mmCIF file of all heavy atoms in Angstrom:
data_model
loop_
_atom_site.group_PDB
_atom_site.id
_atom_site.type_symbol
_atom_site.label_atom_id
_atom_site.label_comp_id
_atom_site.label_asym_id
_atom_site.label_seq_id
_atom_site.Cartn_x
_atom_site.Cartn_y
_atom_site.Cartn_z
ATOM 1 N N GLN A 1 -24.449 -44.286 17.880
ATOM 2 C CA GLN A 1 -24.664 -44.241 16.437
ATOM 3 C C GLN A 1 -23.497 -43.565 15.729
ATOM 4 O O GLN A 1 -22.852 -42.671 16.275
ATOM 5 C CB GLN A 1 -25.966 -43.492 16.113
ATOM 6 C CG GLN A 1 -27.207 -44.202 16.620
ATOM 7 C CD GLN A 1 -28.479 -43.537 16.157
ATOM 8 O OE1 GLN A 1 -29.525 -43.821 16.675
ATOM 9 N NE2 GLN A 1 -28.409 -42.662 15.190
ATOM 10 N N SER A 2 -23.203 -44.017 14.503
ATOM 11 C CA SER A 2 -22.117 -43.424 13.730
ATOM 12 C C SER A 2 -22.499 -42.005 13.318
ATOM 13 O O SER A 2 -23.659 -41.722 13.069
ATOM 14 C CB SER A 2 -21.828 -44.269 12.488
ATOM 15 O OG SER A 2 -22.968 -44.336 11.662
ATOM 16 N N GLU A 3 -21.498 -41.142 13.242
ATOM 17 C CA GLU A 3 -21.743 -39.741 12.924
ATOM 18 C C GLU A 3 -20.859 -39.310 11.762
ATOM 19 O O GLU A 3 -19.680 -39.658 11.693
ATOM 20 C CB GLU A 3 -21.418 -38.870 14.147
ATOM 21 C CG GLU A 3 -22.359 -39.054 15.320
ATOM 22 C CD GLU A 3 -23.637 -38.260 15.169
ATOM 23 O OE1 GLU A 3 -23.596 -37.125 14.692
ATOM 24 O OE2 GLU A 3 -24.690 -38.787 15.539
ATOM 25 N N SER A 4 -21.406 -38.549 10.839
ATOM 26 C CA SER A 4 -20.623 -37.911 9.791
ATOM 27 C C SER A 4 -20.894 -36.420 9.877
ATOM 28 O O SER A 4 -22.014 -36.002 10.182
ATOM 29 C CB SER A 4 -21.007 -38.459 8.414
ATOM 30 O OG SER A 4 -22.371 -38.215 8.135
ATOM 31 N N TYR A 5 -19.857 -35.623 9.616
ATOM 32 C CA TYR A 5 -19.971 -34.187 9.824
ATOM 33 C C TYR A 5 -19.663 -33.433 8.543
ATOM 34 O O TYR A 5 -18.847 -33.863 7.724
ATOM 35 C CB TYR A 5 -19.023 -33.738 10.941
ATOM 36 C CG TYR A 5 -19.372 -34.346 12.279
ATOM 37 C CD1 TYR A 5 -18.810 -35.554 12.676
ATOM 38 C CD2 TYR A 5 -20.295 -33.739 13.115
ATOM 39 C CE1 TYR A 5 -19.145 -36.134 13.886
ATOM 40 C CE2 TYR A 5 -20.633 -34.303 14.333
ATOM 41 C CZ TYR A 5 -20.062 -35.504 14.711
ATOM 42 O OH TYR A 5 -20.404 -36.071 15.916
ATOM 43 N N ASN A 6 -20.317 -32.282 8.411
ATOM 44 C CA ASN A 6 -20.126 -31.432 7.248
ATOM 45 C C ASN A 6 -20.055 -29.975 7.686
ATOM 46 O O ASN A 6 -20.524 -29.606 8.775
ATOM 47 C CB ASN A 6 -21.280 -31.604 6.252
ATOM 48 C CG ASN A 6 -21.356 -33.008 5.687
ATOM 49 O OD1 ASN A 6 -20.534 -33.396 4.874
ATOM 50 N ND2 ASN A 6 -22.343 -33.771 6.137
ATOM 51 N N LYS A 7 -19.481 -29.168 6.837
ATOM 52 C CA LYS A 7 -19.403 -27.731 7.077
ATOM 53 C C LYS A 7 -20.803 -27.166 7.266
ATOM 54 O O LYS A 7 -21.707 -27.441 6.490
ATOM 55 C CB LYS A 7 -18.709 -27.069 5.881
ATOM 56 C CG LYS A 7 -18.454 -25.586 6.013
ATOM 57 C CD LYS A 7 -17.684 -25.104 4.794
ATOM 58 C CE LYS A 7 -17.428 -23.603 4.846
ATOM 59 N NZ LYS A 7 -16.658 -23.141 3.665
ATOM 60 N N GLY A 8 -20.997 -26.394 8.335
ATOM 61 C CA GLY A 8 -22.286 -25.783 8.605
ATOM 62 C C GLY A 8 -23.152 -26.561 9.571
ATOM 63 O O GLY A 8 -24.189 -26.054 10.012
ATOM 64 N N ASP A 9 -22.763 -27.798 9.938
ATOM 65 C CA ASP A 9 -23.570 -28.603 10.851
ATOM 66 C C ASP A 9 -23.666 -27.952 12.239
ATOM 67 O O ASP A 9 -22.696 -27.378 12.740
ATOM 68 C CB ASP A 9 -22.965 -30.004 11.017
ATOM 69 C CG ASP A 9 -23.255 -30.908 9.834
ATOM 70 O OD1 ASP A 9 -24.012 -30.482 8.946
ATOM 71 O OD2 ASP A 9 -22.728 -32.038 9.797
ATOM 72 N N ILE A 10 -24.839 -28.052 12.832
ATOM 73 C CA ILE A 10 -25.051 -27.586 14.206
ATOM 74 C C ILE A 10 -24.712 -28.735 15.143
ATOM 75 O O ILE A 10 -25.220 -29.842 14.987
ATOM 76 C CB ILE A 10 -26.504 -27.132 14.413
ATOM 77 C CG1 ILE A 10 -26.839 -25.977 13.466
ATOM 78 C CG2 ILE A 10 -26.743 -26.700 15.858
ATOM 79 C CD1 ILE A 10 -28.311 -25.603 13.430
ATOM 80 N N VAL A 11 -23.833 -28.493 16.112
ATOM 81 C CA VAL A 11 -23.350 -29.564 16.979
ATOM 82 C C VAL A 11 -23.407 -29.150 18.449
ATOM 83 O O VAL A 11 -23.466 -27.963 18.788
ATOM 84 C CB VAL A 11 -21.901 -29.975 16.625
ATOM 85 C CG1 VAL A 11 -21.841 -30.624 15.251
ATOM 86 C CG2 VAL A 11 -20.957 -28.776 16.698
ATOM 87 N N GLN A 12 -23.370 -30.174 19.312
ATOM 88 C CA GLN A 12 -23.324 -29.985 20.756
ATOM 89 C C GLN A 12 -21.940 -30.372 21.256
ATOM 90 O O GLN A 12 -21.413 -31.427 20.920
ATOM 91 C CB GLN A 12 -24.374 -30.867 21.428
ATOM 92 C CG GLN A 12 -24.233 -30.972 22.935
ATOM 93 C CD GLN A 12 -25.139 -32.049 23.499
ATOM 94 O OE1 GLN A 12 -26.343 -32.001 23.312
ATOM 95 N NE2 GLN A 12 -24.568 -33.026 24.183
ATOM 96 N N VAL A 13 -21.330 -29.508 22.075
ATOM 97 C CA VAL A 13 -20.036 -29.803 22.680
ATOM 98 C C VAL A 13 -20.264 -30.681 23.912
ATOM 99 O O VAL A 13 -21.126 -30.385 24.739
ATOM 100 C CB VAL A 13 -19.309 -28.505 23.084
ATOM 101 C CG1 VAL A 13 -17.983 -28.812 23.780
ATOM 102 C CG2 VAL A 13 -19.069 -27.635 21.854
ATOM 103 N N ASN A 14 -19.492 -31.757 24.035
ATOM 104 C CA ASN A 14 -19.718 -32.712 25.122
ATOM 105 C C ASN A 14 -18.679 -32.662 26.233
ATOM 106 O O ASN A 14 -18.852 -33.307 27.268
ATOM 107 C CB ASN A 14 -19.769 -34.136 24.549
ATOM 108 C CG ASN A 14 -20.918 -34.315 23.584
ATOM 109 O OD1 ASN A 14 -22.038 -33.888 23.861
ATOM 110 N ND2 ASN A 14 -20.649 -34.901 22.431
ATOM 111 N N ARG A 15 -17.588 -31.900 26.046
ATOM 112 C CA ARG A 15 -16.547 -31.804 27.072
ATOM 113 C C ARG A 15 -16.131 -30.350 27.253
ATOM 114 O O ARG A 15 -16.170 -29.562 26.308
ATOM 115 C CB ARG A 15 -15.316 -32.638 26.700
ATOM 116 C CG ARG A 15 -15.581 -34.133 26.560
ATOM 117 C CD ARG A 15 -14.342 -34.840 26.041
ATOM 118 N NE ARG A 15 -14.604 -36.223 25.712
ATOM 119 C CZ ARG A 15 -14.214 -37.259 26.444
ATOM 120 N NH1 ARG A 15 -13.544 -37.045 27.566
ATOM 121 N NH2 ARG A 15 -14.490 -38.499 26.070
ATOM 122 N N PHE A 16 -15.697 -30.038 28.449
ATOM 123 C CA PHE A 16 -15.220 -28.687 28.754
ATOM 124 C C PHE A 16 -13.895 -28.441 28.040
ATOM 125 O O PHE A 16 -12.981 -29.266 28.074
ATOM 126 C CB PHE A 16 -15.039 -28.529 30.265
ATOM 127 C CG PHE A 16 -14.544 -27.166 30.665
ATOM 128 C CD1 PHE A 16 -15.419 -26.098 30.790
ATOM 129 C CD2 PHE A 16 -13.196 -26.944 30.917
ATOM 130 C CE1 PHE A 16 -14.967 -24.845 31.160
ATOM 131 C CE2 PHE A 16 -12.736 -25.693 31.289
ATOM 132 C CZ PHE A 16 -13.624 -24.644 31.416
ATOM 133 N N ILE A 17 -13.768 -27.301 27.374
ATOM 134 C CA ILE A 17 -12.532 -26.896 26.706
ATOM 135 C C ILE A 17 -12.259 -25.438 27.046
ATOM 136 O O ILE A 17 -13.148 -24.593 26.946
ATOM 137 C CB ILE A 17 -12.622 -27.045 25.175
ATOM 138 C CG1 ILE A 17 -12.803 -28.500 24.769
ATOM 139 C CG2 ILE A 17 -11.370 -26.469 24.508
ATOM 140 C CD1 ILE A 17 -12.986 -28.683 23.278
ATOM 141 N N SER A 18 -11.037 -25.152 27.432
ATOM 142 C CA SER A 18 -10.649 -23.769 27.690
ATOM 143 C C SER A 18 -9.206 -23.576 27.256
ATOM 144 O O SER A 18 -8.303 -24.269 27.734
ATOM 145 C CB SER A 18 -10.807 -23.428 29.177
ATOM 146 O OG SER A 18 -10.430 -22.079 29.414
ATOM 147 N N ASN A 19 -8.998 -22.659 26.312
ATOM 148 C CA ASN A 19 -7.639 -22.287 25.926
ATOM 149 C C ASN A 19 -7.591 -20.779 25.733
ATOM 150 O O ASN A 19 -8.510 -20.068 26.143
ATOM 151 C CB ASN A 19 -7.181 -23.063 24.680
ATOM 152 C CG ASN A 19 -8.094 -22.862 23.484
ATOM 153 O OD1 ASN A 19 -8.619 -21.764 23.263
ATOM 154 N ND2 ASN A 19 -8.289 -23.917 22.684
ATOM 155 N N ASP A 20 -6.541 -20.298 25.108
ATOM 156 C CA ASP A 20 -6.389 -18.843 24.959
ATOM 157 C C ASP A 20 -7.380 -18.234 23.976
ATOM 158 O O ASP A 20 -7.508 -17.006 23.899
ATOM 159 C CB ASP A 20 -4.960 -18.507 24.492
ATOM 160 C CG ASP A 20 -3.914 -18.842 25.542
ATOM 161 O OD1 ASP A 20 -4.292 -18.913 26.734
ATOM 162 O OD2 ASP A 20 -2.736 -19.049 25.174
ATOM 163 N N HIS A 21 -8.082 -19.071 23.214
ATOM 164 C CA HIS A 21 -8.956 -18.568 22.152
ATOM 165 C C HIS A 21 -10.448 -18.740 22.452
ATOM 166 O O HIS A 21 -11.253 -17.878 22.119
ATOM 167 C CB HIS A 21 -8.622 -19.266 20.831
ATOM 168 C CG HIS A 21 -7.197 -19.121 20.404
ATOM 169 N ND1 HIS A 21 -6.735 -18.015 19.729
ATOM 170 C CD2 HIS A 21 -6.126 -19.936 20.584
ATOM 171 C CE1 HIS A 21 -5.442 -18.150 19.498
ATOM 172 N NE2 HIS A 21 -5.054 -19.312 19.999
ATOM 173 N N VAL A 22 -10.805 -19.861 23.050
ATOM 174 C CA VAL A 22 -12.217 -20.167 23.255
ATOM 175 C C VAL A 22 -12.433 -20.810 24.621
ATOM 176 O O VAL A 22 -11.493 -21.273 25.267
ATOM 177 C CB VAL A 22 -12.755 -21.127 22.160
ATOM 178 C CG1 VAL A 22 -12.697 -20.500 20.791
ATOM 179 C CG2 VAL A 22 -11.984 -22.441 22.193
ATOM 180 N N LYS A 23 -13.695 -20.845 25.007
ATOM 181 C CA LYS A 23 -14.090 -21.543 26.229
ATOM 182 C C LYS A 23 -15.436 -22.194 25.972
ATOM 183 O O LYS A 23 -16.433 -21.510 25.748
ATOM 184 C CB LYS A 23 -14.181 -20.563 27.406
ATOM 185 C CG LYS A 23 -14.473 -21.228 28.744
ATOM 186 C CD LYS A 23 -14.431 -20.201 29.875
ATOM 187 C CE LYS A 23 -14.638 -20.863 31.228
ATOM 188 N NZ LYS A 23 -14.573 -19.868 32.329
ATOM 189 N N PHE A 24 -15.453 -23.521 25.967
ATOM 190 C CA PHE A 24 -16.675 -24.282 25.716
ATOM 191 C C PHE A 24 -17.072 -25.042 26.968
ATOM 192 O O PHE A 24 -16.237 -25.657 27.620
ATOM 193 C CB PHE A 24 -16.484 -25.295 24.582
ATOM 194 C CG PHE A 24 -16.214 -24.694 23.240
ATOM 195 C CD1 PHE A 24 -15.482 -25.375 22.292
ATOM 196 C CD2 PHE A 24 -16.708 -23.436 22.917
ATOM 197 C CE1 PHE A 24 -15.241 -24.831 21.051
ATOM 198 C CE2 PHE A 24 -16.474 -22.876 21.675
ATOM 199 C CZ PHE A 24 -15.732 -23.577 20.734
ATOM 200 N N LYS A 25 -18.356 -25.011 27.266
ATOM 201 C CA LYS A 25 -18.906 -25.807 28.351
ATOM 202 C C LYS A 25 -19.708 -26.963 27.763
ATOM 203 O O LYS A 25 -20.264 -26.835 26.669
ATOM 204 C CB LYS A 25 -19.804 -24.951 29.245
ATOM 205 C CG LYS A 25 -19.072 -23.843 29.988
ATOM 206 C CD LYS A 25 -20.039 -23.046 30.860
ATOM 207 C CE LYS A 25 -19.311 -21.934 31.606
ATOM 208 N NZ LYS A 25 -20.248 -21.144 32.449
ATOM 209 N N PRO A 26 -19.778 -28.101 28.480
ATOM 210 C CA PRO A 26 -20.605 -29.205 27.995
ATOM 211 C C PRO A 26 -22.039 -28.757 27.726
ATOM 212 O O PRO A 26 -22.577 -27.919 28.456
ATOM 213 C CB PRO A 26 -20.541 -30.220 29.144
ATOM 214 C CG PRO A 26 -19.248 -29.932 29.823
ATOM 215 C CD PRO A 26 -19.073 -28.437 29.733
ATOM 216 N N GLU A 27 -22.618 -29.283 26.661
ATOM 217 C CA GLU A 27 -23.982 -29.017 26.218
ATOM 218 C C GLU A 27 -24.120 -27.703 25.454
ATOM 219 O O GLU A 27 -25.209 -27.341 25.018
ATOM 220 C CB GLU A 27 -24.980 -29.056 27.382
ATOM 221 C CG GLU A 27 -24.978 -30.379 28.132
ATOM 222 C CD GLU A 27 -25.906 -30.375 29.326
ATOM 223 O OE1 GLU A 27 -26.656 -29.402 29.506
ATOM 224 O OE2 GLU A 27 -25.879 -31.354 30.082
ATOM 225 N N MET A 28 -22.999 -26.988 25.271
ATOM 226 C CA MET A 28 -23.042 -25.765 24.473
ATOM 227 C C MET A 28 -23.339 -26.123 23.013
ATOM 228 O O MET A 28 -22.859 -27.117 22.482
ATOM 229 C CB MET A 28 -21.701 -25.039 24.561
ATOM 230 C CG MET A 28 -21.579 -23.836 23.652
ATOM 231 S SD MET A 28 -19.942 -23.087 23.783
ATOM 232 C CE MET A 28 -19.973 -22.014 22.349
ATOM 233 N N ILE A 29 -24.157 -25.309 22.358
ATOM 234 C CA ILE A 29 -24.509 -25.518 20.953
ATOM 235 C C ILE A 29 -23.707 -24.546 20.089
ATOM 236 O O ILE A 29 -23.655 -23.346 20.364
ATOM 237 C CB ILE A 29 -26.017 -25.303 20.715
ATOM 238 C CG1 ILE A 29 -26.825 -26.234 21.610
ATOM 239 C CG2 ILE A 29 -26.359 -25.549 19.248
ATOM 240 C CD1 ILE A 29 -26.589 -27.701 21.372
ATOM 241 N N THR A 30 -23.063 -25.074 19.054
ATOM 242 C CA THR A 30 -22.288 -24.235 18.149
ATOM 243 C C THR A 30 -22.391 -24.827 16.745
ATOM 244 O O THR A 30 -23.219 -25.707 16.506
ATOM 245 C CB THR A 30 -20.817 -24.141 18.614
ATOM 246 O OG1 THR A 30 -20.109 -23.224 17.775
ATOM 247 C CG2 THR A 30 -20.131 -25.494 18.590
ATOM 248 N N SER A 31 -21.594 -24.354 15.818
ATOM 249 C CA SER A 31 -21.653 -24.886 14.454
ATOM 250 C C SER A 31 -20.250 -25.056 13.895
ATOM 251 O O SER A 31 -19.301 -24.384 14.324
ATOM 252 C CB SER A 31 -22.469 -23.957 13.541
ATOM 253 O OG SER A 31 -21.876 -22.676 13.461
ATOM 254 N N ILE A 32 -20.121 -25.972 12.943
ATOM 255 C CA ILE A 32 -18.843 -26.247 12.286
ATOM 256 C C ILE A 32 -18.682 -25.283 11.119
ATOM 257 O O ILE A 32 -19.447 -25.328 10.154
ATOM 258 C CB ILE A 32 -18.786 -27.707 11.797
ATOM 259 C CG1 ILE A 32 -18.905 -28.677 12.984
ATOM 260 C CG2 ILE A 32 -17.499 -27.963 11.032
ATOM 261 C CD1 ILE A 32 -19.035 -30.130 12.581
ATOM 262 N N ASP A 33 -17.694 -24.406 11.196
ATOM 263 C CA ASP A 33 -17.479 -23.412 10.145
ATOM 264 C C ASP A 33 -16.638 -23.941 8.992
ATOM 265 O O ASP A 33 -16.714 -23.442 7.874
ATOM 266 C CB ASP A 33 -16.834 -22.155 10.727
ATOM 267 C CG ASP A 33 -17.741 -21.454 11.719
ATOM 268 O OD1 ASP A 33 -18.967 -21.469 11.509
ATOM 269 O OD2 ASP A 33 -17.236 -20.908 12.716
ATOM 270 N N ASP A 34 -15.803 -24.937 9.284
ATOM 271 C CA ASP A 34 -15.001 -25.571 8.238
ATOM 272 C C ASP A 34 -14.563 -26.936 8.753
ATOM 273 O O ASP A 34 -14.640 -27.208 9.954
ATOM 274 C CB ASP A 34 -13.784 -24.713 7.877
ATOM 275 C CG ASP A 34 -13.289 -24.973 6.449
ATOM 276 O OD1 ASP A 34 -13.759 -25.954 5.826
ATOM 277 O OD2 ASP A 34 -12.448 -24.196 5.968
ATOM 278 N N ILE A 35 -14.097 -27.797 7.847
ATOM 279 C CA ILE A 35 -13.750 -29.160 8.246
ATOM 280 C C ILE A 35 -12.668 -29.706 7.331
ATOM 281 O O ILE A 35 -12.622 -29.392 6.141
ATOM 282 C CB ILE A 35 -15.008 -30.060 8.223
ATOM 283 C CG1 ILE A 35 -14.726 -31.433 8.840
ATOM 284 C CG2 ILE A 35 -15.550 -30.194 6.821
ATOM 285 C CD1 ILE A 35 -15.997 -32.218 9.121
ATOM 286 N N SER A 36 -11.755 -30.502 7.906
ATOM 287 C CA SER A 36 -10.702 -31.179 7.141
ATOM 288 C C SER A 36 -10.678 -32.634 7.580
ATOM 289 O O SER A 36 -10.341 -32.946 8.725
ATOM 290 C CB SER A 36 -9.344 -30.512 7.388
ATOM 291 O OG SER A 36 -8.321 -31.196 6.686
ATOM 292 N N HIS A 37 -11.038 -33.532 6.675
ATOM 293 C CA HIS A 37 -11.152 -34.957 6.996
ATOM 294 C C HIS A 37 -9.817 -35.684 6.826
ATOM 295 O O HIS A 37 -8.857 -35.164 6.245
ATOM 296 C CB HIS A 37 -12.202 -35.612 6.102
ATOM 297 C CG HIS A 37 -13.607 -35.365 6.533
ATOM 298 N ND1 HIS A 37 -14.164 -35.956 7.635
ATOM 299 C CD2 HIS A 37 -14.575 -34.564 6.004
ATOM 300 C CE1 HIS A 37 -15.415 -35.561 7.766
ATOM 301 N NE2 HIS A 37 -15.691 -34.710 6.801
ATOM 302 N N ASN A 38 -9.794 -36.911 7.356
ATOM 303 C CA ASN A 38 -8.679 -37.845 7.159
ATOM 304 C C ASN A 38 -7.341 -37.269 7.611
ATOM 305 O O ASN A 38 -6.355 -37.249 6.873
ATOM 306 C CB ASN A 38 -8.599 -38.292 5.690
ATOM 307 C CG ASN A 38 -9.856 -39.002 5.237
ATOM 308 O OD1 ASN A 38 -10.388 -39.838 5.948
ATOM 309 N ND2 ASN A 38 -10.354 -38.639 4.051
ATOM 310 N N THR A 39 -7.327 -36.780 8.831
ATOM 311 C CA THR A 39 -6.102 -36.280 9.444
ATOM 312 C C THR A 39 -5.749 -37.182 10.630
ATOM 313 O O THR A 39 -6.494 -38.094 10.972
ATOM 314 C CB THR A 39 -6.278 -34.827 9.928
ATOM 315 O OG1 THR A 39 -7.321 -34.790 10.908
ATOM 316 C CG2 THR A 39 -6.656 -33.918 8.776
ATOM 317 N N LYS A 40 -4.615 -36.939 11.255
ATOM 318 C CA LYS A 40 -4.248 -37.766 12.399
ATOM 319 C C LYS A 40 -3.415 -36.978 13.398
ATOM 320 O O LYS A 40 -2.772 -35.976 13.056
ATOM 321 C CB LYS A 40 -3.500 -39.023 11.953
ATOM 322 C CG LYS A 40 -2.182 -38.767 11.243
ATOM 323 C CD LYS A 40 -1.575 -40.088 10.775
ATOM 324 C CE LYS A 40 -0.265 -39.855 10.025
ATOM 325 N NZ LYS A 40 0.333 -41.147 9.555
ATOM 326 N N GLN A 41 -3.425 -37.450 14.628
ATOM 327 C CA GLN A 41 -2.585 -36.923 15.703
ATOM 328 C C GLN A 41 -1.768 -38.084 16.260
ATOM 329 O O GLN A 41 -2.282 -39.197 16.443
ATOM 330 C CB GLN A 41 -3.455 -36.321 16.808
ATOM 331 C CG GLN A 41 -4.020 -34.958 16.477
ATOM 332 C CD GLN A 41 -3.184 -33.833 17.052
ATOM 333 O OE1 GLN A 41 -2.181 -34.054 17.706
ATOM 334 N NE2 GLN A 41 -3.615 -32.603 16.796
ATOM 335 N N HIS A 42 -0.494 -37.827 16.531
ATOM 336 C CA HIS A 42 0.407 -38.869 17.053
ATOM 337 C C HIS A 42 0.609 -38.632 18.553
ATOM 338 O O HIS A 42 1.161 -37.609 18.951
ATOM 339 C CB HIS A 42 1.743 -38.814 16.314
ATOM 340 C CG HIS A 42 2.662 -39.953 16.647
ATOM 341 N ND1 HIS A 42 2.511 -41.209 16.102
ATOM 342 C CD2 HIS A 42 3.735 -40.015 17.484
ATOM 343 C CE1 HIS A 42 3.453 -42.004 16.577
ATOM 344 N NE2 HIS A 42 4.208 -41.307 17.418
ATOM 345 N N ILE A 43 0.148 -39.559 19.370
ATOM 346 C CA ILE A 43 0.256 -39.448 20.829
ATOM 347 C C ILE A 43 0.909 -40.705 21.383
ATOM 348 O O ILE A 43 0.366 -41.805 21.263
ATOM 349 C CB ILE A 43 -1.129 -39.259 21.487
ATOM 350 C CG1 ILE A 43 -1.844 -38.028 20.923
ATOM 351 C CG2 ILE A 43 -0.991 -39.164 23.009
ATOM 352 C CD1 ILE A 43 -1.211 -36.710 21.273
ATOM 353 N N GLU A 44 2.086 -40.546 21.982
ATOM 354 C CA GLU A 44 2.785 -41.639 22.674
ATOM 355 C C GLU A 44 2.839 -42.915 21.840
ATOM 356 O O GLU A 44 2.483 -44.006 22.286
ATOM 357 C CB GLU A 44 2.098 -41.930 24.023
ATOM 358 C CG GLU A 44 2.002 -40.745 24.962
ATOM 359 C CD GLU A 44 3.355 -40.301 25.505
ATOM 360 O OE1 GLU A 44 4.382 -40.817 25.057
ATOM 361 O OE2 GLU A 44 3.387 -39.417 26.384
ATOM 362 N N GLY A 45 3.297 -42.776 20.579
ATOM 363 C CA GLY A 45 3.493 -43.937 19.735
ATOM 364 C C GLY A 45 2.268 -44.427 18.998
ATOM 365 O O GLY A 45 2.333 -45.424 18.260
ATOM 366 N N THR A 46 1.133 -43.771 19.172
ATOM 367 C CA THR A 46 -0.106 -44.198 18.521
ATOM 368 C C THR A 46 -0.653 -43.092 17.625
ATOM 369 O O THR A 46 -0.697 -41.926 18.030
ATOM 370 C CB THR A 46 -1.163 -44.585 19.565
ATOM 371 O OG1 THR A 46 -0.664 -45.647 20.393
ATOM 372 C CG2 THR A 46 -2.447 -45.061 18.881
ATOM 373 N N ASP A 47 -1.048 -43.469 16.410
ATOM 374 C CA ASP A 47 -1.698 -42.517 15.503
ATOM 375 C C ASP A 47 -3.211 -42.590 15.690
ATOM 376 O O ASP A 47 -3.796 -43.681 15.619
ATOM 377 C CB ASP A 47 -1.364 -42.840 14.044
ATOM 378 C CG ASP A 47 0.060 -42.454 13.691
ATOM 379 O OD1 ASP A 47 0.602 -41.533 14.322
ATOM 380 O OD2 ASP A 47 0.641 -43.098 12.783
ATOM 381 N N TYR A 48 -3.826 -41.447 15.918
ATOM 382 C CA TYR A 48 -5.284 -41.371 16.070
ATOM 383 C C TYR A 48 -5.860 -40.680 14.838
ATOM 384 O O TYR A 48 -5.549 -39.514 14.564
ATOM 385 C CB TYR A 48 -5.642 -40.608 17.342
ATOM 386 C CG TYR A 48 -5.216 -41.325 18.602
ATOM 387 C CD1 TYR A 48 -4.001 -41.020 19.222
ATOM 388 C CD2 TYR A 48 -6.009 -42.322 19.157
ATOM 389 C CE1 TYR A 48 -3.594 -41.686 20.366
ATOM 390 C CE2 TYR A 48 -5.613 -42.993 20.313
ATOM 391 C CZ TYR A 48 -4.408 -42.669 20.903
ATOM 392 O OH TYR A 48 -4.007 -43.344 22.045
#
């Protein structure tokens, strides 16, 4: 199903993430504190 997100939404993390700031495990519940729409990342010649 299509998803739209807003500031304050309660969400479930679906992939493991670990960096110098945070560590998320799959199925962890957290919330979106802020959001910036319509951005992109450039990876190997492709804009996402």
Side-chain angles (χ1 to χ4, degrees):
Q1 295 187 194
S2 61
E3 292 278 321
S4 61
Y5 296 91
N6 297 287
K7 184 176 178 179
D9 283 354
I10 300 171
V11 293
Q12 168 190 302
V13 177
N14 297 315
R15 299 174 188 255
F16 180 82
I17 296 176
S18 180
N19 58 37
D20 294 337
H21 303 277
V22 297
K23 185 175 183 179
F24 295 152
K25 295 180 180 179
E27 302 177 7
M28 174 182 166
I29 303 299
T30 185
S31 61
I32 299 173
D33 296 325
D34 205 349
I35 189 167
S36 178
H37 281 287
N38 299 316
T39 61
K40 62 183 179 180
Q41 283 263 0
H42 188 79
I43 303 293
E44 303 291 7
T46 301
D47 286 333
Y48 294 95

